[in-house]
Amino acid sequence: QVQVVESGGGLVQPGGSLRLSCAASGNIVSIYNMAWYRQAPGSQRELVARITSGGLTEYAESVKGRFTISRDNAKNTVNLQMNSLSPEDTAVYYCYADLFVRNMGRRTTWGQGTQVSVSS
């Protein structure tokens, strides 16, 4: 009864920008932590950025100064603004949500992922 869906991925040239969005829907009572992860082919899934319910943020060293994570609690969404993209950012990006679901309790949920490709 809860779903997390990413959008905004695509192909962009080096130095370009993309904005990813993640929308959670269903019988959601509240959202605790939300985060973006990414996984490149042959690599482990890694944390890109996270944001707490209070708005505190953390970033991977490789994206600091380039990526910005934000959330809209009223809309149950989390966004990732990605600037100055490089080929090393190419990966499938996944949204992670730590939720409290009505009649189910606290659950962690992953989106299906959205492809980000950075190439000239």
Side-chain angles (χ1 to χ4, degrees), residues 33-45:
N33 302 307
M34 299 189 77
W36 286 96
Y37 288 74
R38 67 185 181 187
Q39 187 168 19
S43 301
Q44 291 185 306
R45 187 171 299 185

Side-chain angles (χ1 to χ4, degrees), residues 29-108:
V29 176
S30 62
I31 301 178
Y32 300 101
N33 302 307
M34 299 189 77
W36 286 96
Y37 288 74
R38 67 185 181 187
Q39 187 168 19
S43 301
Q44 291 185 306
R45 187 171 299 185
E46 65 174 348
L47 176 68
V48 177
R50 64 188 297 178
I51 185 168
T52 70
S53 60
L56 298 177
T57 59
E58 296 181 9
Y59 297 92
E61 287 294 328
S62 60
V63 307
K64 284 184 177 179
R66 299 189 298 120
F67 291 9
T68 302
I69 188 170
S70 61
R71 63 190 291 169
D72 186 335
N73 293 328
K75 298 180 179 180
N76 290 337
T77 61
V78 61
N79 302 306
L80 185 68
Q81 179 66 45
M82 305 184 294
N83 299 324
S84 301
L85 287 164
S86 69
E88 289 72 27
D89 296 314
T90 296
V92 177
Y93 284 70
Y94 296 90
C95 180
Y96 168 91
D98 180 9
L99 313 168
F100 189 93
V101 182
R102 192 177 304 279
N103 298 321
M104 294 185 65
R106 194 165 182 171
R107 297 285 187 274
T108 56

